[in-house]
Amino acid sequence: MNLNFRYDVVGYVLFAVFVLLIMPMYASFDGFQLNTYARYLTLGLAAMALALSWGYAGILNLGQAGSFALGSYIMAAHLKLKASENMPGGMPDFMGWTNLEALPWFWQPFHSVTLTLISVILLPAIVASIIGVFMFRGRITGVFVAIITLSFLVAFQLVFVEYQMYTGGENGLTGLASLELFNWTANSYSTDFYYFVAGCLIVIMVLTVALVRSKVGLILRAIKENPDRVRFFGYNVASYEIMAFSTSAAIASWAGMLYALVLQFASPSYMSVSFSLAIVIWCAVGGRNSLVAAALGGIVVNALQGRLSEIFVEGWMLFLGVVFILVVLFMPNGIYGLLRASVGKLKNMTSDGKGHSHAIEANTGLPMQSDSKKER
């Protein structure tokens, strides 16, 4: 275990303590506050998902909100069907308003909670893989990837708004039932639900850290620095990029699923351009080169936004914008980069004494003895 990874492990442990102990204690285990903090955790998970593709593989996905929204709609569809069991044909109310005669075939799997949870992971990953094949096998990189993913996001939102009879249109999916999983009923204002969300965040973080610390993560970082050199060594760069892109989409989808459970509805606003750009900002503020820093950025920025909106009802966005500008100007690598630089300076300061001794030896030709040698 090298020194840098030891610092990272300390950061992971402190983050886990912050999420599992400090946040609920600060909320005094109040239901409303726990629900608010659970929402922050889900948004932090979305930022961490983007850090996987952007920070480790160099893929700036401006359409990350699409995967987030898809996960929320999949879970909301299951909960909506559960709430509509007594409706004619078991169909959601908005389908009856649009004169649909039967439940669409692609809604049928969402009767099962198991298939719903599987779909939350697989469906966004498959969609991202299809988009990734189009982009990465064509060796599209840089800003063009950002533009393409943003274009897909806009088209995605238009489809969900246009086909109101299947998606609820601009109103989204509301009036949802509670999730029942292994004889546990999710109450978004309870302590156990908060720890369910926190547990998902910690487990996914551990699995993702294991991924980026493996050989796959090393190859992804090499692709980020110089993809042509990686191709020269015989690796299929497109396959690794597709893997990182689709894995990031699956994690973002899981975050969206949790978000739908927290707020008890799914909305097309989840796939808006502004929301997708906000995820990029959270990741940049925390530091895209660290998973835990990106998650912390999502939590801190949203908590700061909530606090500022209470104090400055009219001008809170101005204050938040100033913070973002300062981060871009003075902390281009986010909070993580600032901490890294501080640790590096501290290490240099502690090594100055040794460096000074070596300089005296070089100038005088006389070895500097340690205190222990003098005593002997």
Side-chain angles (χ1 to χ4, degrees):
M1 181 185 295
N2 58 39
L3 186 60
N4 288 334
F5 186 57
R6 289 179 183 176
Y7 287 128
D8 290 341
V9 170
V10 172
Y12 301 143
V13 172
L14 291 177
F15 179 75
V17 171
F18 174 71
V19 168
L20 298 175
L21 294 178
I22 297 178
M23 288 184 70
M25 289 178 63
Y26 183 77
S28 300
F29 295 94
D30 176 72
F32 177 79
Q33 288 296 329
L34 286 176
N35 178 269
T36 302
Y37 289 170
R39 181 171 65 87
Y40 296 160
L41 295 185
T42 61
L43 299 176
L45 182 57
M48 188 181 75
L50 181 60
L52 176 62
S53 64
W54 186 22
Y56 286 88
I59 303 170
L60 177 55
N61 180 8
L62 293 185
Q64 189 79 330
S67 300
F68 183 92
L70 189 55
S72 68
Y73 266 88
I74 291 173
M75 176 51 68
H78 168 70
L79 300 180
K80 187 65 176 177
L81 287 177
K82 187 178 176 182
S84 306
E85 291 177 349
N86 297 324
M87 299 291 291
M91 294 191 305
D93 48 11
F94 64 88
M95 291 185 181
W97 300 338
T98 53
N99 298 322
L100 280 182
E101 297 180 355
L103 188 70
W105 62 268
F106 50 85
W107 271 73
Q108 296 291 346
F110 301 137
H111 282 291
S112 169
V113 64
T114 302
L115 291 179
T116 298
L117 294 176
I118 293 175
S119 299
V120 166
I121 298 174
L122 290 185
L123 190 57
I126 292 172
V127 173
S129 297
I130 295 172
I131 299 174
V133 168
F134 165 72
M135 293 191 301
F136 302 125
R137 289 192 176 177
R139 297 194 179 183
I140 299 174
T141 59
V143 67
F144 300 105
V145 172
I147 294 173
I148 290 173
T149 53
L150 187 63
S151 301
F152 272 107
L153 175 65
V154 174
F156 198 54
Q157 185 183 30
L158 290 175
V159 168
F160 269 71
V161 172
E162 181 67 22
Y163 290 93
Q164 180 179 358
M165 67 288 294
Y166 303 125
T167 64
E170 293 184 357
N171 296 323
L173 300 180
T174 58
L176 308 181
S178 299
L179 174 66
E180 293 183 2
L181 188 64
F182 302 116
N183 296 323
W184 172 70
T185 302
N187 178 3
S188 59
Y189 293 91
S190 64
T191 303
D192 55 352
F193 179 80
Y194 171 84
Y195 278 109
F196 170 71
V197 175
C200 288
L201 174 60
I202 298 299
V203 170
I204 293 174
M205 183 183 72
V206 170
L207 295 176
T208 311
V209 168
L211 174 65
V212 300
R213 291 290 302 176
S214 66
K215 181 180 178 181
V216 173
L218 181 62
I219 295 172
L220 288 177
R221 291 193 294 273
I223 291 173
K224 176 185 175 182
E225 296 298 329
N226 194 327
D228 292 331
R229 182 173 295 180
V230 177
R231 290 190 185 94
F232 177 78
F233 282 103
Y235 291 99
N236 190 331
V237 171
S239 297
Y240 283 94
E241 290 177 324
I242 293 170
M243 183 277 298
F245 190 67
S246 58
T247 303
S248 174
I251 297 174
S253 175
W254 193 268
M257 179 204 74
L258 296 176
Y259 200 70
L261 293 175
V262 171
L263 297 185
Q264 285 295 298
F265 70 91
S267 168
S269 62
Y270 297 172
M271 60 188 80
S272 65
V273 174
S274 59
F275 184 74
S276 196
L277 294 179
I279 297 176
V280 176
I281 292 173
W282 306 336
C283 186
V285 170
R288 66 180 183 272
N289 294 318
S290 170
L291 298 171
V292 67
L296 188 60
I299 295 171
V300 170
V301 171
N302 282 280
L304 181 62
Q305 175 180 328
R307 185 59 178 164
L308 287 176
S309 61
E310 293 176 0
I311 300 175
F312 306 101
V313 179
E314 298 294 334
W316 65 270
M317 292 190 68
L318 176 62
F319 286 90
L320 204 59
V322 171
V323 172
F324 295 153
I325 292 174
L326 293 177
V327 168
V328 172
L329 291 178
F330 300 104
M331 292 191 300
N333 294 317
I335 299 173
Y336 175 77
L338 181 63
L339 292 176
R340 278 289 189 186
S342 301
V343 171
K345 290 180 179 179
L346 183 62
K347 289 167 61 178
N348 291 334
M349 290 175 61
T350 57
S351 63
D352 281 346
K354 294 181 180 180
H356 183 64
S357 299
H358 291 315
I360 294 176
E361 292 178 12
N363 292 331
T364 63
L366 298 175
M368 297 296 292
Q369 294 183 344
S370 64
D371 292 340
S372 59
K373 290 182 179 180
K374 289 179 182 180
E375 291 175 0
R376 290 197 296 267

